[in-house]
């Protein structure tokens, strides 16, 4: 049973920073390619958009909505994924989700759409004012 749990969200002022965490438990069966873990976000009234991803070889992937002030990292020993965000702006206000699945490497590299990922966390709210 695969489970993802995000944490680290909160309210910050514009220009501030946050580091979100995603604790991953369970084993994903490797079907089509490398395991991929990604960060998405969804603002009110908008579609969920992919930001950044990383595969199990440590290769990063960048979505079309990738923001220059975000960085993905991971702690393999802790099975934890991180999203570091600096210089936050009000338009960064959203619920941030981590997602995981075994998907083709090319899909992970571009943070393919939500349909590629079977496993999702519950989300953590980030509010920038």
């Amino acid at each position: 049973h695969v489970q993802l749990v995000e944490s680290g969200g909160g309210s910050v002022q514009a220009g501030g920073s946050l580091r979100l965490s995603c604790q991953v438990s369970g084993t994903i069966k490797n079907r089509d390619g490398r395991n991929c873990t990604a960060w998405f976000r969804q603002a009110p009234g908008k579609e969920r958009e992919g930001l950044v991803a990383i595969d199990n070889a440590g290769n990063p992937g960048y979505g079309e909505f990738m923001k220059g002030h975000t960085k993905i990292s991971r702690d393999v020993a802790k099975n934890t994924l991180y999203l570091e965000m600096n210089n936050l702006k009000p338009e960064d206000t959203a619920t941030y989700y981590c997602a995981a699945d075994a998907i083709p490497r090319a899909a992970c590299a571009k943070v393919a759409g939500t349909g590629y990922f079977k496993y999702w966390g519950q989300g953590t709210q980030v509010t920038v004012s």
Side-chain angles (χ1 to χ4, degrees):
H1 177 65
V2 178
Q3 189 173 16
L4 290 78
V5 179
E6 302 97 335
S7 61
S11 297
V12 296
Q13 292 187 340
S17 301
L18 279 175
R19 188 176 79 160
L20 307 183
S21 300
C22 174
Q23 176 73 49
V24 182
S25 60
T27 301
I28 299 172
K29 292 183 179 180
N30 196 317
R31 303 190 304 269
D32 300 322
R34 299 174 184 237
N35 287 353
C36 179
T37 314
W39 285 100
F40 288 75
R41 73 180 187 183
Q42 188 169 19
K46 295 187 177 181
E47 293 187 354
R48 195 168 298 188
E49 56 188 27
L51 298 175
V52 294
I54 191 166
D55 67 19
N56 59 351
N59 300 304
Y62 304 98
E64 62 177 299
F65 301 102
M66 167 63 179
K67 305 302 179 182
H69 56 286
T70 60
K71 178 183 176 182
I72 192 170
S73 62
R74 65 176 183 169
D75 185 326
V76 175
K78 296 181 178 179
N79 286 330
T80 301
L81 183 74
Y82 301 101
L83 180 67
E84 298 178 36
M85 301 186 291
N86 301 307
N87 192 26
L88 285 162
K89 304 173 183 178
E91 51 263 41
D92 293 315
T93 295
T95 301
Y96 285 72
Y97 298 89
C98 63
D101 209 342
I103 68 175
R105 183 175 181 178
C108 190
K110 64 178 183 179
V111 194
T114 56
Y116 274 86
F117 295 90
K118 177 179 179 180
Y119 305 101
W120 291 86
Q122 82 288 352
T124 186
Q125 178 67 34
V126 172
T127 302
V128 185
S129 60

